Amino acid sequence: MSVQVSYKKQTIFFIILIFIFLSAIEITIRIYDFYNPNCNFVNSDVFAEVDDELKLQICRDNIALKWDRNPLSLIPNQNLNTISVNSEGFRGNELSLNPDYRIFIIGGSTTFGVGSTSDSKTIPYSLQEKFTQVFPNQNIEVINAGIPQAYSFTESTWIKEKILSYSPDLLIIYDGWNDLDQDYEFYFEGTDPSFLDRLIRYIGKSDYITPKIILTYYVNLKNNSIEIVEFNSNKIDEKVSLWQNTWKDICQLEKENNFKTIITLQPLVGTGQKNLTSEEFHSFKKFDGESTIFYYDFYQSALNELNSECFSTLDLRNAFDSNSETIFYDFGHVGDFGNKIIAEKIYEKILPTVIKDIKK
């Protein structure tokens, strides 16, 4: 009997030691990461005019952001220093009760605004400001429905299961990059096809940040290596077809749900005729830009075909042709200035439609 008690005591003691050890690691990493958050963009020319402490805070907040898996969505009521997620799970302010016109912008991290200095510097909010200035007597609401890592499958699921319940008037799909990188075999598996992916996502919902920090350091270390990340063109035609058919299905819901859809292709480093800066050219070479952009053009052909299936389409790949300064801080993300340019391009495209609809 005494031996059994001894074993129990040893087991409990061992568990306590593990707990103390993990807690010590967590505390150490939290302290280190607070003063040295690992985000590549902090050294980019895009953020040259941004205060150092603000850059670090943006980095901390993006790492601290929490998601759900099924469907891929942001956990509501997150109030970080530079990011807020409202009670409905959308970035920014609470939704209006009875807007005159409701616009959702749907996409991945570029729509969400990873790297933006605040909620008000994202593409959706910049578009919101345009409409507020031009139509002060109309409540035209623009909602940021971007979710980091989202692609057409998770976005269409999000639309069907969540967004349509808010009676949208206009859906703007701003993506392309994540679909280009998505593995064909895992298209219908969502963003976490492996057990490890799901485990990381589950841990990410908790306040235990050690695994997230370690993963961030691993990804950034890999991206910062001199090795070129070659583009995987496996089943590219099938991937393009999946993307096209996914949005075709959403557009077929337009009439019965009384909304319009505009599908766009976002700009990436090397699209259009922009003269790349040295920093942008480094990203172009690092991420096999020549091959990546070659295959990205396949989506443009699909976009043309969607023009007859959806309300409209918009090719934004050349949005930065007239800009000589550094716009991209990696292969696809941009800062506040780039977001504002994209918002202006979208505004020009949708303005006639919004004016016509609100006059009905």
Side-chain angles (χ1 to χ4, degrees):
M1 186 70 175
S2 62
V3 173
Q4 291 179 345
V5 172
S6 176
Y7 284 152
K8 288 181 180 179
K9 287 183 177 179
Q10 289 179 31
T11 301
I12 294 172
F13 180 70
F14 183 68
I15 291 173
I16 292 174
L17 282 179
I18 292 176
F19 177 78
I20 293 173
F21 177 72
L22 292 177
S23 297
I25 292 176
E26 174 78 1
I27 292 170
T28 301
I29 287 181
R30 279 178 179 266
I31 293 173
Y32 179 82
D33 189 67
F34 181 82
Y35 292 102
N36 302 280
N38 189 23
C39 290
N40 290 329
F41 69 77
V42 297
N43 297 316
S44 171
D45 289 344
V46 170
F47 298 89
E49 303 301 320
V50 178
D51 178 77
D52 287 344
E53 180 54 38
L54 178 56
K55 286 190 286 188
L56 295 179
Q57 190 61 57
I58 295 167
C59 181
R60 296 181 193 119
D61 290 348
N62 278 280
I63 292 173
L65 194 68
K66 298 178 183 178
W67 297 274
D68 261 325
R69 239 192 117 243
N70 291 311
L72 180 68
S73 57
L74 295 169
I75 293 178
N77 299 313
Q78 298 185 60
N79 296 296
L80 306 170
N81 287 279
T82 63
I83 298 172
S84 61
V85 179
N86 66 26
S87 61
E88 305 293 339
F90 303 112
R91 181 171 186 175
N93 299 327
E94 293 295 328
L95 273 58
S96 301
L97 292 177
N98 295 295
D100 298 314
Y101 198 82
R102 177 168 278 168
I103 302 169
F104 280 88
I105 304 187
I106 298 152
S109 55
T110 50
T111 301
F112 174 82
V114 169
S116 300
T117 56
S118 70
D119 296 337
S120 64
K121 299 300 182 179
T122 62
I123 294 170
Y125 198 97
S126 294
L127 185 61
Q128 176 73 76
E129 286 185 327
K130 294 283 291 185
F131 279 112
T132 301
Q133 292 170 2
V134 177
F135 301 95
N137 298 320
Q138 296 280 349
N139 184 6
I140 299 173
E141 183 179 43
V142 182
I143 300 167
N144 187 339
I147 304 173
Q149 299 186 18
Y151 64 102
S152 58
F153 172 72
T154 63
E155 291 161 359
S156 62
T157 301
W158 188 228
I159 290 170
K160 294 173 183 176
E161 296 187 6
K162 177 91 170 182
I163 291 176
L164 290 184
S165 66
Y166 294 97
S167 301
D169 295 289
L170 180 63
L171 303 182
I172 300 171
I173 313 302
Y174 181 75
D175 65 7
W177 184 21
N178 286 354
D179 273 87
L180 185 65
D181 283 344
Q182 178 67 25
D183 287 338
Y184 172 77
E185 290 77 10
F186 298 126
Y187 182 83
F188 294 105
E189 298 296 324
T191 56
D192 305 315
S194 72
F195 172 76
L196 180 60
D197 293 328
R198 293 192 293 272
L199 179 62
I200 292 171
R201 181 78 66 183
Y202 179 78
I203 294 173
K205 292 170 61 178
S206 72
D207 291 325
Y208 184 55
I209 71 168
T210 297
K212 292 189 289 185
I213 299 299
I214 293 174
L215 181 64
T216 300
Y217 272 83
Y218 168 75
V219 171
N220 287 342
L221 181 64
K222 183 178 179 181
N223 288 341
N224 288 334
S225 69
I226 60 174
E227 182 181 352
I228 293 176
V229 181
E230 294 186 1
F231 179 76
N232 180 9
S233 61
N234 182 48
K235 293 187 179 295
I236 185 65
D237 291 323
E238 291 86 347
K239 284 168 58 175
V240 173
S241 294
L242 283 175
W243 180 81
Q244 180 180 340
N245 290 332
T246 295
W247 294 126
K248 180 180 177 181
D249 290 343
I250 292 297
C251 292
Q252 288 177 347
L253 300 174
E254 288 181 348
K255 289 186 178 180
E256 61 184 272
N257 291 276
N258 194 31
F259 68 88
K260 297 179 174 69
T261 309
I262 297 179
I263 312 295
T264 79
L265 278 182
Q266 65 189 101
L268 301 174
V269 172
T271 62
Q273 301 299 316
K274 183 185 187 305
N275 290 323
L276 302 182
T277 63
S278 58
E279 181 182 335
E280 291 170 333
F281 185 72
H282 173 76
S283 294
F284 183 81
K285 297 294 289 185
K286 168 68 182 176
F287 295 101
D288 193 12
E290 190 169 328
S291 298
T292 303
I293 300 307
F294 173 80
Y295 288 109
Y296 193 38
D297 287 346
F298 289 21
Y299 287 82
Q300 193 270 335
S301 298
L303 187 73
N304 289 339
E305 294 184 29
L306 283 172
N307 200 45
S308 61
E309 303 286 345
C310 304
F311 174 74
S312 188
T313 60
L314 177 61
D315 190 346
L316 290 164
R317 293 176 303 159
N318 62 350
F320 303 127
D321 281 5
S322 61
N323 296 97
S324 59
E325 63 269 65
T326 302
I327 297 292
F328 297 93
Y329 67 80
D330 59 17
F331 198 76
H333 291 104
V334 303
D336 295 350
F337 181 59
N339 286 337
K340 186 174 182 180
I341 293 172
I342 293 296
E344 289 173 350
K345 300 287 185 182
I346 294 175
Y347 176 79
E348 292 170 3
K349 173 69 176 181
I350 70 175
L351 179 59
T353 298
V354 174
I355 291 175
K356 182 178 179 180
D357 287 348
I358 62 178
K359 287 183 177 179
K360 288 182 180 179

